[in-house]
């Protein structure tokens, strides 16, 4: 397909900047970036849109992962198995992406987001401090399960992945919101990389658009990670609720045919 006009590219760049910030704090930047790509690149195939979104996304997750790692020092006993199996799950999801209609995902994602948001709102002390629910092999097994399931979803579609990582690490494993965000960024970097390993050889990435958006996503990711670290878990929790609520409205409108 032809490259977008400079005006469209500028709007996509702004969307990527916002997506990078949101993604770095609580995840889910794809729910800003992916619809922008779908609107801005009407001539692109769904797989091209997904692939270009992954290129832009990995730029932001690279810098936010590094920022979190340097300032939070997440436990490698959790983030390493989470990252490895998220990579494998995402690669499988990317292979399946061209065979799964987007319409099959929206209702499932909507229900999941409503449940996640309600659970966090109804448990105000959730994620304030780290209180791990498992130890040893059970902890590793839980991290592996989260990595595979959320990773597969990210490779196949992607929007909201970071939020699902954060919630799983808080609700299932018992991390604080800030520590969960740090690990989620590292896992999300791995899922983006895995999807690109599949998409790049297929020639699906729109490089000019993806690199421009990636530069903006990187800036947003850096600012978002620094903001989250500075303000701590309470800020991340509130931001999480606001973002998930916005996603529920956005996807709910799609499902109900409002938009």
């Amino acid at each position: 397909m032809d490259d977008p006009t400079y005006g469209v590219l500028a709007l996509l760049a702004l969307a990527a900047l916002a997506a990078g910030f949101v993604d770095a704090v609580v995840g889910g930047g794809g729910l800003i970036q992916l619809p922008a790509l779908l609107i801005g690149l009407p001539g692109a195939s769904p797989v091209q849109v997904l692939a270009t979104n992954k290129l832009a996304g990995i730029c932001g997750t690279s810098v936010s992962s590094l920022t979190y790692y340097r300032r939070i020092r997440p436990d490698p006993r959790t983030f390493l198995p989470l990252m490895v199996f998220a990579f494998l799950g995402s690669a499988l999801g990317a292979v399946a992406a061209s065979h799964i209609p987007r319409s099959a995902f929206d209702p499932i994602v909507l229900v999941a987001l409503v449940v996640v948001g309600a659970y966090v709102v109804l448990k105000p002390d959730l994620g304030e401090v780290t209180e791990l629910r498992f130890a040893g092999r059970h902890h590793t097994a839980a991290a592996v399960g989260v990595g595979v399931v959320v990773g597969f979803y990210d490779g196949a579609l992607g929007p909201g992945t970071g939020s699902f990582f954060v919630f799983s690490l808080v609700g299932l494993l018992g991390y604080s919101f800030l520590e969960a965000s740090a690990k989620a960024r590292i896992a999300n970097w791995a899922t983006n990389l895995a999807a690109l390993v599949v998409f790049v050889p297929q020639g699906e990435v729109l490089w000019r658009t993806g690199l421009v958006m990636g530069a903006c996503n990187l800036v947003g990711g850096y600012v978002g990670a620094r903001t989250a670290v500075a303000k701590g878990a309470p800020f991340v929790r509130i931001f999480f609720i606001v973002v998930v609520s916005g996603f529920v409205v956005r996807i709910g409108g799609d499902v109900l045919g409002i938009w």
Side-chain angles (χ1 to χ4, degrees):
M1 62 161 288
D2 296 332
D3 287 330
T5 65
Y6 288 115
V8 169
L9 196 59
L11 292 175
L12 290 175
L14 288 174
L17 181 69
F21 182 91
V22 170
D23 216 35
V25 180
V26 293
L31 282 165
I32 298 172
Q33 196 165 260
L34 194 59
L37 280 164
L38 289 169
I39 295 169
L41 305 176
S45 69
V47 177
Q48 285 179 316
V49 169
L50 286 173
T52 306
N53 180 58
K54 293 302 180 190
L55 176 61
I58 199 171
C59 296
T61 52
S62 294
V63 71
S64 59
S65 295
L66 182 60
T67 302
Y68 273 122
Y69 183 80
R70 292 173 61 186
R71 293 174 177 272
I72 302 297
R73 296 292 181 183
D75 187 351
R77 292 173 297 178
T78 300
F79 81 72
L80 284 177
L82 177 70
M83 181 175 66
V84 170
F85 282 88
F87 180 96
L88 296 175
S90 180
L92 291 172
V95 171
S98 60
H99 305 289
I100 304 174
R102 174 174 175 165
S103 59
F105 279 93
D106 283 352
I108 298 172
V109 175
L110 178 60
V111 171
L113 286 171
V114 169
V115 172
V116 165
Y119 187 79
V120 172
V121 169
L122 294 174
K123 290 183 70 69
D125 59 339
L126 184 71
E128 288 186 353
V129 295
T130 294
E131 296 178 349
L132 298 182
R133 296 180 173 81
F134 306 103
R137 289 178 297 175
H138 296 291
H139 180 88
T140 302
V144 166
V146 170
V148 170
V149 174
V150 181
F152 181 88
Y153 167 75
D154 189 42
L157 188 60
T161 294
S163 297
F164 289 135
F165 269 130
V166 169
F167 176 76
S168 299
L169 290 166
V170 171
L172 179 62
L173 275 75
Y175 283 102
S176 72
F177 269 103
L178 185 59
E179 287 197 52
S181 289
K183 294 172 179 64
R185 290 304 89 230
I186 296 172
N188 210 175
W189 175 86
T191 60
N192 285 335
L193 178 63
L196 286 172
V197 167
V198 175
F199 290 139
V200 169
Q202 294 176 350
E204 301 292 357
V205 178
L206 303 176
W207 288 99
R208 178 171 175 264
T209 301
L211 290 174
V212 170
M213 294 180 70
C216 295
N217 195 283
L218 185 152
V219 173
Y222 177 75
V223 174
R226 291 289 297 265
T227 303
V229 171
K231 295 186 177 294
F235 167 77
V236 178
R237 179 184 184 275
I238 293 172
F239 202 83
F240 180 89
I241 293 171
V242 171
V243 169
V244 168
S245 299
F247 293 163
V248 167
V249 172
R250 175 68 179 83
I251 297 177
D254 285 341
V255 172
L256 297 175
I258 296 175
W259 312 127

